[in-house]
């Protein structure tokens, strides 16, 4: 009986202590020392950086080392991004909102709450080029980007219309097969997003391929089986249904009519999706601002450190306060927010 109780206790303890750790190095001589961690729940927003995706911010030390850690992430694989930039705070607010930050460096990766991820310097002190993780799927996007670089080289070898058409056909299938071979539906979505992008030369191949290829239904099944509750799965199903509806509606129409219908529905889909995401972000931001308004300026600063999982000692050293003062501020924060612990406070600000 005692053995059974001990086993259960150890199992519970191991789960409670489970947490993620994402660390690495930046070059402080080239980049601002602020480092951002985002969760990407809309796979059409994997390129660029967006304020509504950011879930944590930290500061690299003088050697460029940074770390994100905690236990608030999903227990299943999700898409995350770490990025750095050279923008001022005013520029960051604008760039993070519209998704465009040309003077930045980012890494997409796959992870879950129990994963460790390290991003050491690579050749010539380049950042975010090499991934070390206990999750074998973590570097899937890096592998795909490497293959896309090979593709760009093939296109540039002979700059002719004939060469471009041959490469379009070849690389469309090459990327599709490569994604399937990775045995990770999230990686396949990364490729699907690229191939189905209507601004890409490969989009016409996607439209034709969608008519007869069972690959897309198979990908839907893989997503439903592996990630039944993830936003990516519902988004993919909706897009697939919309694209097939357009194909069916285009029967008997001229090419011009078909293109007009295609772009109209895709445009409407993008607008509605953007409106939904913006509305959600706006409501959440308003709620957060209302909560923070209850706190004094000093308490707001302490709260930001609490959300980064810093200890009272770390906060005291960062803000040049005594530990007892930090504890007082923390207790005041709990009372004003009507919470009992740090985890309760996090649940109000980190979704």
């Amino acid at each position: 009986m005692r053995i059974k109780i001990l086993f259960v206790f150890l199992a519970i303890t191991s789960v409670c202590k489970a947490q993620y750790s994402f660390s690495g190095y930046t070059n402080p001589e080239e980049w601002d020392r602020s480092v951002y961690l985002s969760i990407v729940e809309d796979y059409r927003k994997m390129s660029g950086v967006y304020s509504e995706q950011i879930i944590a911010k930290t500061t690299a030390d003088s050697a460029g080392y940074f770390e994100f850690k905690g236990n608030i992430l999903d227990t299943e694989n999700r898409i995350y991004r770490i990025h750095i930039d050279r923008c001022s705070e005013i520029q960051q607010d604008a760039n993070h909102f519209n998704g465009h930050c040309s003077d930045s460096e980012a890494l997409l990766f796959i992870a879950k709450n129990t994963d460790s991820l390290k991003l050491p310097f690579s050749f010539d002190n380049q950042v975010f080029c090499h991934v070390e993780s206990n999750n074998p799927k973590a570097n899937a996007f890096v592998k795909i980007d490497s293959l896309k670089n090979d593709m760009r080289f093939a296109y540039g070898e002979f700059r002719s219309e004939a060469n471009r058409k041959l490469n379009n056909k070849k690389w469309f299938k090459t990327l599709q097969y490569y994604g399937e071979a990775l045995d990770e539906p999230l990686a396949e979505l990364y490729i699907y997003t690229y191939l189905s992008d209507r601004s890409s030369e490969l989009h016409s191949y996607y439209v034709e391929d969608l008519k007869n290829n069972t690959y897309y239904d198979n990908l839907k099944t893989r997503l439903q089986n592996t990630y039944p509750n993830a936003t990516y799965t519902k988004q993919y199903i909706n897009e697939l249904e919309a694209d097939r509806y357009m194909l069916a509606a285009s029967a008997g129409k001229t090419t011009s009519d078909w293109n007009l219908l295609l772009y109209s529905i895709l445009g409407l889909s993008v607008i509605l999706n953007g409106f939904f995401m913006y509305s959600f972000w706006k409501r959440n931001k308003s709620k957060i601002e209302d909560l923070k308004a209850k706190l004094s300026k000093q308490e707001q600063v302490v709260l930001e450190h609490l959300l980064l999982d810093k200890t009272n000692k770390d906060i005291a050293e960062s803000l040049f306060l005594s530990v007892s003062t930090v504890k007082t501020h923390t207790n005041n924060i709990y009372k004003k927010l009507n919470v009992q612990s740090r985890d309760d406070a996090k649940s109000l600000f980190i979704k």
Side-chain angles (χ1 to χ4, degrees), residues 154-171 201 205:
Y155 275 76
E157 192 172 2
F158 296 104
R159 298 183 181 277
S160 67
E161 180 70 18
N163 182 59
R164 186 166 65 253
K165 287 182 177 179
L166 288 173
N167 272 302
N168 282 346
K169 185 176 182 180
K170 168 191 172 182
W171 284 101
E201 287 189 16
Y205 288 87

Side-chain angles (χ1 to χ4, degrees), residues 230-250:
T231 56
Y232 319 115
T233 302
K234 185 63 176 178
Q235 183 182 359
Y236 176 78
I237 293 172
N238 289 341
E239 284 193 4
L240 199 60
E241 290 176 352
D243 287 348
R244 282 181 168 156
Y245 173 81
M246 287 184 285
L247 285 174
S250 68

Side-chain angles (χ1 to χ4, degrees), residues 119-144:
L119 306 174
F121 280 132
S122 58
F123 176 74
D124 198 26
N125 281 347
Q126 294 297 308
V127 297
F128 302 167
C129 293
H130 182 61
V131 177
E132 298 176 0
S133 176
N134 62 333
N135 187 335
K137 306 298 177 66
N139 64 347
F141 297 136
V142 174
K143 292 179 179 179
I144 294 170

Side-chain angles (χ1 to χ4, degrees), residues 1-16:
M1 183 63 180
R2 290 181 178 179
I3 295 176
K4 289 183 178 179
I5 293 175
L6 178 61
F7 176 78
V8 172
F9 174 77
L10 291 174
I12 294 174
T13 302
S14 65
V15 171
C16 293

Side-chain angles (χ1 to χ4, degrees), residues 74-80 110-113 115 135-138 184 186 226-227 230 232:
D74 281 289
T75 56
E76 294 180 337
N77 281 339
R78 293 290 185 267
I79 302 171
Y80 296 94
I110 295 172
K112 55 183 179 293
N113 194 51
D115 287 352
N135 187 335
K137 306 298 177 66
E184 173 49 64
L186 298 185
T226 310
Y227 302 108
Y232 319 115

Side-chain angles (χ1 to χ4, degrees), residues 162-201:
N163 182 59
R164 186 166 65 253
K165 287 182 177 179
L166 288 173
N167 272 302
N168 282 346
K169 185 176 182 180
K170 168 191 172 182
W171 284 101
F172 183 90
K173 287 299 180 185
T174 298
L175 286 166
Q176 201 175 72
Y177 293 151
Y178 185 78
E180 191 171 7
L182 288 174
D183 192 28
E184 173 49 64
L186 298 185
E188 291 186 79
L189 281 182
Y190 187 44
I191 291 175
Y192 163 79
T193 302
Y194 177 69
L195 298 180
S196 62
D197 183 356
R198 64 179 183 278
S199 65
S200 167
E201 287 189 16

Side-chain angles (χ1 to χ4, degrees), residues 53 69 101 156 234 273-274:
Q53 296 178 342
K69 62 181 179 180
C101 192
K234 185 63 176 178
N273 187 56

